[in-house]
Amino acid sequence: PQLRPTYHEGHEYYNMDWSKIVPGLTDVSADDVAIIHTQYSTQWDSLAHVGSLFDVNGDGQTERVYYNGYRAGTDVLALDDGDFDGVAAPQLGIHNMAETCVQGRAVMFDFHAHYGDERIAVNYDMLSKIMADDNVVVEPGDMLIIHTGWAQMILDMNLDPDAEKLHQSCAVLDSRDPKILKWVTDSGVAVIASDNMAVEDSRSFPPKGGKGSRLPLHEHCLFKLGIHLGELWYLTELATWLRENKRSRFLLTAPPLRLTGAVG
């Protein structure tokens, strides 16, 4: 018999009485459909998330490319099959990160302990002082985790977020400071994640002179270095425990969802 549901109580896939479809069946079932915006909440950025206009061939002509020269429109595709608009990034998609063990030593930078809810761009000199004050040591391969208090502020708003307040609150990395970008390179960190929207200041564009990236840290990490970025992590309880126990290092296990071809 044709088993397409025709009976529903509130929704055809919840509390479905299969005897209404095939008399004699005793099944009652419920199924879900999940539609998620992969970069709206806690997330990893894949290397297909941000690329750059770059002169790949040295001929003076810029092209849209991503990490390692993968091309927009060839390797990072927008799909339109007439039914669903999606993406396909087989070489750089987040599934490549999910297929490996995202686990290792992490180190916490607790910006909130130093600056509270103040909206401040943390430059290299400020970062160095935090490291000295908190006895934070970063070694090659470490996963850098930054607690700013921003995610906690969202939760405290109890499902009624104040966007204006949020965009004026909590510390961000000053990615316009070239010393910050150089430190990221020299430190050898494997990933960077924070509890705010973009790790860096996502509202600081356009750059001076109108040329360059609106998100220098994203360009530097995702496009140039192949360093994944994590955003909107909930870190308050962890940061509190580490500070109470005079620690900054911990074991981090944080694999992304295995969404084939997705950019985050």
Side-chain angles (χ1 to χ4, degrees), residues 13-75:
Y13 298 116
Y14 261 64
N15 306 317
M16 188 169 71
D17 179 353
W18 282 79
S19 69
K20 301 294 183 179
I21 301 171
V22 179
L25 290 181
T26 59
D27 307 87
V28 175
S29 65
D31 290 288
D32 289 317
V33 174
I35 299 174
I36 63 172
H37 293 268
T38 58
Q39 284 158 287
Y40 185 75
S41 187
T42 303
Q43 66 190 265
W44 278 115
D45 287 343
S46 81
L47 303 182
H49 175 50
V50 169
S52 184
L53 291 174
F54 188 75
D55 184 3
V56 179
N57 301 312
D59 58 5
Q61 300 297 316
T62 59
E63 300 181 44
R64 294 177 300 159
V65 292
Y66 293 85
Y67 175 71
N68 239 2
Y70 286 106
R71 264 51 169 193
T74 302
D75 305 300

Side-chain angles (χ1 to χ4, degrees), residues 106-127:
V107 59
M108 175 75 75
F109 281 42
D110 193 350
F111 286 3
H112 191 262
H114 292 265
Y115 301 112
D117 293 339
E118 180 184 0
R119 182 67 169 192
I120 190 167
V122 177
N123 62 26
Y124 175 76
D125 292 337
M126 297 161 68
L127 187 71

Side-chain angles (χ1 to χ4, degrees), residues 20-202:
K20 301 294 183 179
I21 301 171
V22 179
L25 290 181
T26 59
D27 307 87
V28 175
S29 65
D31 290 288
D32 289 317
V33 174
I35 299 174
I36 63 172
H37 293 268
T38 58
Q39 284 158 287
Y40 185 75
S41 187
T42 303
Q43 66 190 265
W44 278 115
D45 287 343
S46 81
L47 303 182
H49 175 50
V50 169
S52 184
L53 291 174
F54 188 75
D55 184 3
V56 179
N57 301 312
D59 58 5
Q61 300 297 316
T62 59
E63 300 181 44
R64 294 177 300 159
V65 292
Y66 293 85
Y67 175 71
N68 239 2
Y70 286 106
R71 264 51 169 193
T74 302
D75 305 300
V76 179
L77 299 168
L79 304 178
D80 184 359
D81 60 8
D83 182 50
F84 171 75
D85 292 332
V87 297
Q91 294 88 356
L92 300 181
I94 201 65
H95 62 286
N96 294 293
M97 190 183 190
E99 288 167 1
T100 60
C101 183
V102 183
Q103 184 180 69
R105 186 177 63 199
V107 59
M108 175 75 75
F109 281 42
D110 193 350
F111 286 3
H112 191 262
H114 292 265
Y115 301 112
D117 293 339
E118 180 184 0
R119 182 67 169 192
I120 190 167
V122 177
N123 62 26
Y124 175 76
D125 292 337
M126 297 161 68
L127 187 71
S128 297
K129 187 176 187 305
I130 290 173
M131 293 176 68
D133 290 348
D134 292 350
N135 194 28
V136 174
V137 177
V138 178
E139 298 181 58
D142 283 350
M143 294 190 260
L144 175 58
I145 310 299
I146 302 172
H147 172 238
T148 72
W150 206 73
Q152 184 64 55
M153 183 177 288
I154 293 175
L155 293 178
D156 290 344
M157 290 177 178
N158 195 27
L159 301 180
D160 186 21
D162 182 338
E164 183 176 356
K165 180 179 179 180
L166 286 168
H167 286 305
Q168 296 175 1
S169 300
C170 302
V172 293
L173 270 180
D174 183 3
S175 57
R176 300 280 174 210
D177 181 358
K179 291 182 180 179
I180 284 285
L181 302 184
K182 185 178 187 304
W183 179 83
V184 169
T185 301
D186 294 343
S187 67
V189 295
V191 300
I192 303 174
S194 75
D195 60 352
N196 60 16
M197 184 184 294
V199 186
E200 59 189 316
D201 190 353
S202 63

